[in-house]
Structure formats: C-alpha cells, structure tokens
Amino acid sequence: MHGLIDPSTSSKISRALLVEVKELAKQFQRKFQRIPAFMEVCGSHTMSLARTGVKKALQDDIRLISGPGCPVCVTDQATIDAMISLTDGDDRIICTFGDMMRVPGSYGTLMQAKAEGKDIRVVYSPVDAVRIAEQNPQKEVIFLGIGFETTIPTIAAALKEAEEKGVYNFSIWMTSKLTAPILRHLLNNKEVALDGFLLPGHVSIVMGRKHWEFLADEYHLPGVISGFEAVDVLNGIRRLLMLALEQKALVLNEYRSVVPEEGNKHANFWMDHYFTLSDEPWRGIGIIPQSGMDIREEYRPFNAKEKFSVPMRSPRKTKCRCGEVIRGLIDPPECVLFGKACTPMNPIGPCMVSSEGSCAAYYQYMREE
Ligand code: SF4
C-alpha cells in the first residue's frame, strides 16, 4: 500500500476503508476478470483523489478516470479566445474568476492583457461585478460567466441584483455548462467503458439526488454522490464497488448532510427565471445541444454576446490534449507536453491552469520524479 491517505482526523477510518475497497476491488476482478473503472465528474473530486493519495493508493486496483468536471477545462479554445478579445474595446472592465487569468488563449492570456493595461479584475462572486458596474457608471462591466450548476445560481443572483437596481452597464458573457448532458454524451458515444460514477457533491446540492437517476434508469449504471474528504471519496468508491459487484444500478446519496432529494428549489427557480437551455461548445467535443444555459431573451440588455461583437478567429492549434483528458480517454502523462513544456508555471492548456484541472492534480500529487 503506498501514497497514503492524508493525516486528518479520519485517517484511521480512511485506512480501514482503503483495505475494504481493495478487497472489494479484488472480488470485482475475480468475478469479471478485469479491474473496475469509475469516473469522477467534479474537479474538486479530481483534486481530492490526488491530494489525499487515494488515487495513487488504488491505481493497481481500480481505474479512477477524471471526467469533464472542471469548468475552465471544458471551455473550448474559440470561447476562451473570444473572452480575451472582449478586453479589446474601450471603456470596458472585464470581471472574472481567478482561474481564468492564466488560461492560454490562442494569442495570449487575460493576465497578459491586464499587463498591457486592460482593466481586468478578479472577483469572488458575480455580484461583486455588479458592484463594480455601479461604481463605474461610465464603463461597461462584463462578467465572464463560466461554471456548472453550482455557479449558475450565483450568476442568476447577480442578474437579479442588476435588474432590480437597473445597472445596465453590467452584462454577462455566458458560457456555463450542465453536467447531465455531458454525461449522456460520453455514455452515448461509448468512448470509455465505465462501471459507475462518483457523482459531484456540489452540483448535487443544487440539483438533488433524483437528477442523476437517468444513469440507472437509462444506462443501467450506478452512481454515488459523495463529499470531498478522503473518508468521503473512499466511502463513495466502496459503495460503487458494492453496487457494481451486485450489478445493481442505483443512485445513492452519501452526502446527505447537504444534498437533498429534489435539489435546491430556490436556486433552480432563479436559474430557470433568467436562463434558458442553450447549445454549448465543449473542448475536444464540439457543440452538445442543450448542454448549457444562456440569458433569456427578455433579459437581453444584460447579455454581453448581444451587446458586443467579438471577431471570431480560428483557434491556433497546439499539441495540448485537454480535450482527451476531460473525456477520460488519456491520463495527463500521456500528453507529450506534460511536465516538460507544460507545467503549472507555464501552462499550455486549461487542465494545467485550473485548481480543479486533471493535469494540475496529476502534476502536483501523482507525478513520478
Ligand atoms: Fe494540455 Fe498541458 Fe494537460 Fe498536455 S499536460 S493536456 S498540454 S494542459
């Protein structure tokens, strides 16, 4: 046994769980003559599995595949280029989450644009961008709306505040994404064989356990919603193995303290109030119908895509294989640039920049020296 679990208060439980998980994985292997394969679809799980040593400790027993769970990583190159091009106009303030600053576009980064004098600000909440717009009425303030179901309600809260206060110099460049459509896409395309999903705790807080029942009903696969500590992810994997061994397609909630059955009704109401389903481009995949949310027609004045035209150029081609990483087709070290031309200090693709990216997780915690 190597790698080993973080020395948190639950380390004893984690060690016992690790032994149990390894035993269950052996049973699976004996029964099906192969090792089980599970996908996590949350960037925080990707980081947690790497940071706690769980992924390394189980690497010979279970294939733990990182899926499309990092919102920056799944954003396609043309969209990133468009968002960087947005900085070109006069009298604009661009507001974004910090991860976006270093994401390489084809022709530079937001960080470089800021160094060249563009007004680009890191915010911790979309509502902060509304405040900046109020303080700068002579400027156009554009928030870059990247995120999954965890972030979309916070963007809705910003839109609500801007609407109520009449802050019309505030707008949003939406490129948010939804998790269920990408899972359906991966399963329909059968590019990667899976025995179940470790389901995202944070998205499930908003969407609820029932949201994932299609995995069991339509694809006959189990899923387990889990928290983020070593003990949580190990327990989630343990439950997945038990279901897979018995070939039971069920969706279990192992994060019951915060994840409800039906989701957060309030958050879902405001999401639906301001946004509508939209076709979204995904890195390495292309457009998936109805896989994102965009601003409803009646709130057009807050839609940055309607307000500002941005020249769409063909993205510059690189050897970055983030598109395959997020689909679970390769592990980061299979990219020739990993750890050489591409490092956290000098990232070539978003999977190495983001604090939730698979390549960054691998580089920080799983790299063989
Ligand atoms: Fe892209 Fe770097 Fe990851 Fe390779 S290692 S896939 S270049 S982010």
Side-chain angles (χ1 to χ4, degrees), residues 320-322 325 332 335 337-338 342 348-352 359:
C320 174
R321 297 179 71 184
C322 274
V325 171
C335 169
L337 304 179
F338 178 82
C342 182
I348 305 290
C351 300
M352 189 61 92
C359 298

